[in-house]
Amino acid sequence: MEEPLVLDTLAQDEIDIFEDPAGTDPAVLFDAAYRTFAGPVHGYLKARGLDDPEAVTQDVFLAFYPRIGSLTGGAQGAKSLLFSIAHARMVDHYRRLERRPQLTPYDPLTDGRTTPSAEDHAVELTSGAAAMLEGLSEEHQEVLALRVVADLSIDQVAAIMGKSAGAVKQLQRRALQNLKLQTLKRNQANNE
């Protein structure tokens, strides 16, 4: 039976700190508020259905700390302030949830599209570009991949390839010429 009396005495000591906060270190007031009210604030947030009540409890106390200097009303004032901050955080949580779009999982069995998807089209385009580069030399492929695909400057490509900027310009010009010739040949073969 002595234990509850000891706990009540400790809780009362924590609460008494708020009755005359003038000259008291804000860290001591914060510590007392945390030890006294963190459990109830966490319980409130958990009961209201927040996803992460522990994190929001920490946010509540972080918002409470700068206001300790202007705190009035003793322990009840601290409690009122803490729970008003907790309530505001809870309202913010539900407002964010309302604004979040509702996501529906993709089910390929119910997909009734008759045309290829954009993803399929993109894969075809990239495979076509790779096929076009296949007919070029390794150096030509590399310079076009770095300049066109990676969108790097001539100086950057020169540093990567270990060549001078002039050599990279020349390689790019020749690669584009070869690519143009291959494309013309391919188009002629398709038209015949």
Side-chain angles (χ1 to χ4, degrees), residues 51 92-102:
D51 297 337
D92 290 345
H93 169 77
Y94 284 110
R95 284 184 180 155
R96 270 192 306 276
L97 283 179
E98 287 175 2
R99 287 188 224 123
R100 197 178 297 165
Q102 296 296 321

Side-chain angles (χ1 to χ4, degrees), residues 16 18 49-50 55 75 79 82 84 91 117-119 127 132 140 149 159:
D16 290 342
F18 288 101
L50 270 70
K79 182 178 182 180
L82 281 164
S84 66
V91 169
S117 68
E119 292 84 4
S127 65
M132 289 175 67
H140 288 171
V149 178

Side-chain angles (χ1 to χ4, degrees), residues 16-30 32 68-69:
D16 290 342
I17 291 175
F18 288 101
E19 297 311 320
D20 187 23
T24 306
D25 183 12
V28 172
L29 290 171
F30 179 80
I68 287 176

Side-chain angles (χ1 to χ4, degrees), residues 102-120:
Q102 296 296 321
L103 301 177
T104 307
Y106 174 71
D107 183 8
L109 299 175
T110 61
D111 188 0
R113 293 182 289 183
T114 57
T115 59
S117 68
E119 292 84 4
D120 293 340

Side-chain angles (χ1 to χ4, degrees), residues 127-142 144 174-175 177-183 185-186:
S127 65
M132 289 175 67
L133 290 177
E134 282 179 7
L136 299 177
S137 71
E138 282 295 318
E139 275 191 328
H140 288 171
Q141 287 180 20
E142 183 69 14
L144 287 181
R174 289 182 181 154
Q177 283 177 339
N178 288 342
L179 191 59
K180 180 180 176 182
L181 287 173
Q182 285 182 8
T183 304
K185 287 179 186 178
R186 199 173 295 124

Side-chain angles (χ1 to χ4, degrees), residues 2-14:
E2 285 184 35
E3 243 177 82
L5 180 61
V6 172
L7 292 177
D8 289 342
T9 305
L10 289 175
Q12 190 60 45
D13 290 343
E14 297 290 334

Side-chain angles (χ1 to χ4, degrees), residues 111-190:
D111 188 0
R113 293 182 289 183
T114 57
T115 59
S117 68
E119 292 84 4
D120 293 340
H121 185 67
V123 168
E124 287 173 13
L125 288 177
T126 57
S127 65
M132 289 175 67
L133 290 177
E134 282 179 7
L136 299 177
S137 71
E138 282 295 318
E139 275 191 328
H140 288 171
Q141 287 180 20
E142 183 69 14
V143 77
L144 287 181
L146 291 171
R147 286 285 292 139
V148 177
V149 178
D151 195 27
L152 297 177
S153 70
I154 289 180
D155 292 333
Q156 290 169 320
V157 173
I160 291 170
M161 293 184 73
K163 299 190 177 292
S164 68
V168 170
K169 287 180 187 178
Q170 190 71 318
L171 272 173
Q172 180 181 333
R173 185 181 64 74
R174 289 182 181 154
L176 289 172
Q177 283 177 339
N178 288 342
L179 191 59
K180 180 180 176 182
L181 287 173
Q182 285 182 8
T183 304
L184 288 173
K185 287 179 186 178
R186 199 173 295 124
N187 286 344
Q188 283 179 342
N190 288 340

